[in-house]
Amino acid sequence: MSSIDMIFPDMPLYEGGWQPIYFEPVVGSGERVTIAVAAYGVTGEFQIIQSIRSELLECLYGINAPKIHSMIELVLLSSRNYFKQYKTLDSWKAPFDGVFLGHVSKALDEDLSGILKQAIRFSSSLSSLALDAERDEEEELQPKRYSAKFSKNIQMELHSINSSLNDSFNQKVKVSGSDVLTTFGFMNDRYVSNFGLLVPTRMSGSLNSIKAKIFDIEALKKSSYLMVPERFEVIIGTPSFSDPTLSDKAVTRLKDTLEMVEEIALKEDICVFRAETAFAAAEHINKVAA
């Protein structure tokens, strides 16, 4: 091997391509946002995913974000079904106006996930820039809203798994000498937990919100409350570490923040359970609390 060969790494062997899907919020305006990307491997593998994170949709479209998200879901369903049948998107037509298919770019990487990351990096600046941007923490209310939604979704999932635990959600307890009641996400005689969400675009605000939830559990543990549960826990919702919409920097920050949460909680003998979905959190609660 020559000295030149030793300087440069080997070329990735996985061949494929990627293709953006654009959305025009105001039809005919020419303003387009990348809402999804499709990635293909020469071996026949494919994935079509949403490229703009849901929390960013809320920032951009406010109360209309759920409608935009539903439209994106329709686009994903339609394009995936079409590709399964025809192995291409060349003649695919979106289920409504204002959606456009970009051209295919060839790519090399380690696997299909790597090609997806390339697609997002080169076609969806809103997602990548939003994730890596440093933010002023005027964002405290956003994480609380996301956590409230996460909690509601856990309750809905657990209702399907074990409806007998419904009444244990949002329990209000007096943990100090004052008359102020503290609310816990889930609590029965065996188990208590609070729910938090680490939002990649709102990491500092998310951490502050979770710290407050840990403090509430700590206060209950040290209180004179007669029916203190056996197990204390905080359930943390996070994206998958392999989520293609997350930059390497965002994943590193997510892992570091989660590690900090675990250190804070474990000092008080409070368990930490990480869940990538509300369903996973609901299954866990049913296992330890039923």
Side-chain angles (χ1 to χ4, degrees):
M1 181 180 293
S2 68
S3 58
I4 295 295
D5 291 332
M6 295 176 66
I7 294 175
F8 298 100
D10 294 336
M11 289 286 287
L13 298 179
Y14 188 90
E15 297 182 48
W18 58 268
Q19 196 167 11
I21 299 176
Y22 303 111
F23 172 58
E24 199 172 60
V26 180
V27 178
S29 68
E31 176 192 15
R32 297 182 182 182
V33 176
T34 305
I35 57 170
V37 291
Y40 326 103
V42 294
T43 55
E45 289 182 293
F46 86 96
Q47 279 194 56
I48 304 175
I49 65 167
Q50 179 175 323
S51 61
I52 183 169
R53 297 193 63 81
S54 297
E55 57 264 29
L56 186 55
L57 287 177
E58 291 194 22
C59 293
L60 292 173
Y61 301 109
I63 60 173
N64 291 316
K67 296 179 182 178
I68 302 295
H69 188 265
S70 295
M71 295 170 71
I72 294 174
E73 287 292 325
L74 282 175
V75 168
L76 293 173
L77 179 63
S78 172
S79 58
R80 287 167 180 165
N81 288 339
Y82 188 93
F83 193 90
K84 285 179 183 177
Q85 183 174 358
Y86 298 104
K87 308 304 179 186
T88 180
L89 290 179
D90 287 349
S91 299
W92 171 71
K93 300 295 182 183
F96 48 84
D97 292 337
V99 177
F100 304 89
L101 192 63
H103 65 82
V104 177
S105 298
K106 293 184 179 180
L108 293 173
D109 214 296
E110 300 299 325
D111 50 30
L112 193 64
S113 179
I115 291 180
L116 278 170
K117 285 182 177 289
Q118 286 188 43
I120 293 167
R121 187 182 310 120
F122 295 126
S123 71
S124 189
S125 66
L126 281 177
S127 288
S128 57
L129 289 177
L131 284 171
D132 290 335
E134 294 296 329
R135 297 172 179 273
D136 292 329
E137 291 308 320
E138 35 73 31
E139 43 181 57
E140 292 293 334
L141 293 179
Q142 289 279 21
K144 291 180 181 178
R145 187 169 65 185
Y146 297 140
S147 290
K149 186 176 180 180
F150 182 52
S151 177
K152 184 177 180 181
N153 288 341
I154 293 173
Q155 187 171 2
M156 292 172 60
E157 295 287 2
L158 190 55
H159 175 77
S160 300
I161 297 172
N162 187 349
S163 60
S164 68
L165 296 175
N166 282 355
D167 293 340
S168 296
F169 280 92
N170 301 316
Q171 291 293 301
K172 297 181 183 295
V173 176
K174 183 179 178 181
V175 297
S176 66
S178 71
D179 292 330
V180 176
L181 298 179
T182 301
T183 302
F184 294 92
F186 181 96
M187 182 177 175
N188 62 13
D189 58 343
R190 298 183 57 188
Y191 171 80
V192 60
S193 64
N194 270 336
F195 313 131
L197 204 60
L198 285 179
V199 184
T201 52
R202 295 285 188 273
M203 197 64 78
S204 295
S206 297
L207 178 59
N208 289 338
S209 178
I210 290 171
K211 283 179 179 178
K213 293 176 183 295
I214 293 174
F215 176 79
D216 285 343
I217 295 178
E218 180 186 347
L220 172 66
K221 188 178 179 184
K222 295 178 179 179
S223 73
S224 57
Y225 185 65
L226 295 178
M227 298 179 63
V228 174
E230 302 169 7
R231 180 183 175 97
F232 302 85
E233 189 168 71
V234 59
I235 294 179
I236 309 298
T238 76
S240 168
F241 295 148
S242 60
D243 187 334
T245 66
L246 295 179
S247 66
D248 292 342
K249 180 179 178 180
V251 171
T252 298
R253 192 177 182 200
L254 179 62
K255 289 181 177 179
D256 289 345
T257 305
L258 182 63
E259 184 176 341
M260 184 186 304
V261 169
E262 290 173 339
E263 289 178 1
I264 294 170
L266 292 177
K267 284 180 181 178
E268 300 298 332
D269 292 325
I270 297 171
C271 301
V272 175
F273 180 79
R274 184 177 80 91
E276 294 181 5
T277 65
F279 178 73
E283 279 194 319
H284 174 73
I285 293 173
N286 185 56
K287 181 180 178 180
V288 299

